[in-house]
Amino acid sequence: MYDVAIVGAGPAGATFARLLSEKYSAVIIDGSEALCPKPCGGLLAPDAQKQLARFGLSLPKDVLVSPQIFCVKTIDTEAKIVRHYQRSYINMNRQKFDRWLLSLVPNRVKTVNGTAMEVSREDGIFKIKVDTPNGSDVLYAKNLVGADGAGSLVRKTFFKNISIRSYVAVQQWFKEKHDDPFYSCVFDRQSGDCCSWSVSKDDYFIFGGAYEKDGSRKRFETAKKDISDMGFVFSEAVKIEACLVNRPRSLKELCVGVDNVYLIGEAAGFISPSSLEGISFALISGEMLAQSFNSGDNPGKRYKKLTKKIYLKILGKILKCPFMYNPLLRKAVMRSGIRSIKVINK
Ligand SMILES: Cc1cc2nc3c(=O)[nH]c(=O)nc-3n(C[C@H](O)[C@H](O)[C@H](O)COP(=O)(O)OP(=O)(O)OC[C@H]3O[C@@H](n4cnc5c(N)ncnc54)[C@H](O)[C@@H]3O)c2cc1C
């Protein structure tokens, strides 16, 4: 019997587990060693960098990849406009980043390499059925934390009625053949109402996007086709990966939990609907829940209060969406050249 069971050891779960006071016995369960690594652009945004700075953490060198690029080539395929916008992301290996965060969790928190298959509550005690490489196991806890990302089992089990808009993110890896690697963000109405992107990582070029679930693979191919004459080199394909990504439409879709079940990170819906940047929200909400537990009674009430800041931030991102995703507004913004930089071609 643990005081706290955490399902998911991504940035949210690992941060919560690292900061949770020693007065609680805790277990963290993650299946990613058994499943394949989580698809991600692996760009650490300034808000996430600020959060690491607040934690007093500096990123180990081996988490970084090459190249580090300082602008994003933004393309509207319909309006045929290309603009460059300055961005200060850190380009990293996402799997190594997650492993590094997990390595900072103190030994007093038990780590279980397994997948939670079922979570339930009986007489106020949570029961978690876990599949591990050595067989099935059952864990019991007084509190349950869902840090299990976009497709959260904890959220689906306990908060069925609060649904959140989600997309299928598809990413394909190619051998890198660009002479001058770049990041891109592509708005292509033919492929859907969200966006596609590309990043270069060491010897690979990754093209991906978030698409409506209906025909997501076909939409991905359409996006690729629509930019084929815009400087993208799709060479030898190495692998393709896909997963769910949440994109809240309104604050009503967010859910922090209640009655000893708590949600942090993307499981709570904490992700930017404009850029799909989610690592900073995962780090911040993990910290907020730990603070709420550590400060004593009624962590739920305190967590709800602290996360108001996140709600406000996400509201700002929701309000920003029309300027990025409404074709007319986007065209006007891109045409105006506001905040864009002029890249001098060699
Ligand atoms: C394709 C793509 C690209 C993205 N690019 C970026 C980017 O460049 N920068 C950025 O900031 N954000 C990006 N995001 C968003 C970001 O990845 C997430 O918002 C962030 O990882 C959320 O962190 P988290 O800890 O809440 O959840 P996750 O990182 O999703 O971690 C959840 C963990 O829970 C585990 N898990 C899930 N279910 C179970 C279960 N039943 N049992 C046990 N373990 C379980 C998973 O294995 C995983 O390790 C991207 C998302 C996608 C899909």
Side-chain angles (χ1 to χ4, degrees), residues 8 11-12 30-32 38 40-43 94 116 147 265-266 276-279:
D30 198 294
S32 57
K38 180 183 162 65
C40 184
L43 298 178
R94 173 64 201 268
E266 208 177 319
L276 302 183
E277 187 270 316
I279 296 174

Side-chain angles (χ1 to χ4, degrees), residues 133-150:
N134 306 321
S136 304
D137 205 352
V138 180
L139 303 171
Y140 295 92
K142 294 176 195 159
N143 294 278
L144 181 65
V145 176
D148 44 351

Side-chain angles (χ1 to χ4, degrees), residues 6-18 28 102 105 145 147-148 264-265 282 286:
I6 310 153
V7 182
T15 300
F16 172 71
R18 181 172 62 83
I28 186 163
L102 192 57
V105 174
V145 176
D148 44 351
I264 53 178

Side-chain angles (χ1 to χ4, degrees), residues 44 71 76 104 108 117 149 154 163-164 179 197 206 215 248 254 295:
L44 197 69
C71 74
D76 183 324
L104 304 175
R108 63 173 181 270
M117 305 303 290
V154 176
S163 65
I164 182 163
D179 293 332
W197 56 79
I206 305 166
L254 310 182
S295 67

